Amino acid sequence: MPIEIKGNDVVLTSSSTTQTQVRINLFGATVYSWTIAGKEQLWTSDAALFDGSKPIRGGIPLVFPVFGKSSAPGFEKLPQHGFARNSTWEFLGQTHANPPTVQFGLSPDNVNRKVYNNWDNGDNEFSVIYTIALEDEQLVTSVEIQNTDQKEWKFNWLFHTYFLVDDIEDTLINNLPGEKCNDRVVHEIYIEKHPIISFDQEVDRVYSDVSTDKLLQIIELGKVKHNIKRVNLPDVVVWNPWSEIVKEVADFEPKEGYRRMVCVEPGYVEQLKILKPGQSWTASQILHKGDDINLQAI
Ligand code: TA6
């Protein structure tokens, strides 16, 4: 049974092994578990809420139409990260049997109105189609955003992916030296000088305009744990809250869980993307298991 609907969950199972699965909750169309041969790849909080009262903490929350809080006109009243993760998406069905592929939809018809009404004048017509394909050692998440309005509007998009690691202090991320970094902890903008990103304190950075030819790898004790490829997603957020911030985050459990996760988040967040009437914008995040370390020149 490659695709099952269990309550508010859609579960895809690989045709080659039942141990390779992805679980998506309709709330936020949030992927909250992805296993390869029985091994979990994503971090989800033990206290994540699935009752629609707040976004699901962990997995792959979808950030739209704003990243963080913004003072840009029309965005000031939106809460952090917008309304996609606060809305119950429509399951549009299966588009392929192998690899199992499904789609979810969001539009003003099913959006969380209370939050949506704070985007411009609460009348932007849009359609988002989210496609998830489960391959044997790869998960592809793609989005198509369409302006179905008579006027233009602007947006950010981000896959806020929480990766599972064994120990954050053994974890490195490569291929970011030379990139422009907006460091939201020290409030400075600089060019990344470190040959590799390591973690021993809170990290909250936006690397902007990173060529999509750059493969990003999460490396633990010399082994590549996760590979992240991006299509049409020039910005990369790297986040680990560390031990103090998590104390303030009620749905982050266990508190020591910050040691088991790192967010590497492909997006279009440094600028607002303008979409004119009738235009569409597409982007993908491609996650796969990997073996060789691939260091790319600046
Ligand atoms: O993507 C990084 C970030 O914006 C951090 O600044 C941190 O706030 C994180 O997302 C989690 O945000 P949330 O609203 O889910 O608590």
Side-chain angles (χ1 to χ4, degrees), residues 57 67 80-81 85 158 160 162 184 204 237 239 265:
R57 172 74 58 197
F67 169 67
Q80 159 127 322
H81 298 340
R85 63 179 189 162
L158 178 90
H160 197 305
Y162 289 72
R184 289 149 37 107
D204 190 356
V237 180
W239 181 59
E265 313 165 27

Side-chain angles (χ1 to χ4, degrees), residues 7 25 35 46 53 59 65-66 68 76 107 116 142 151 164 173 215 217 247 269 284:
N25 192 277
T35 54
D46 290 352
S53 61
V66 71
E76 317 93 312
S107 74
Y116 163 81
S142 306
K151 60 181 183 309
L164 184 66
I173 297 167
L215 173 71
Q217 297 183 302
K247 289 182 190 158
V269 296
S284 300

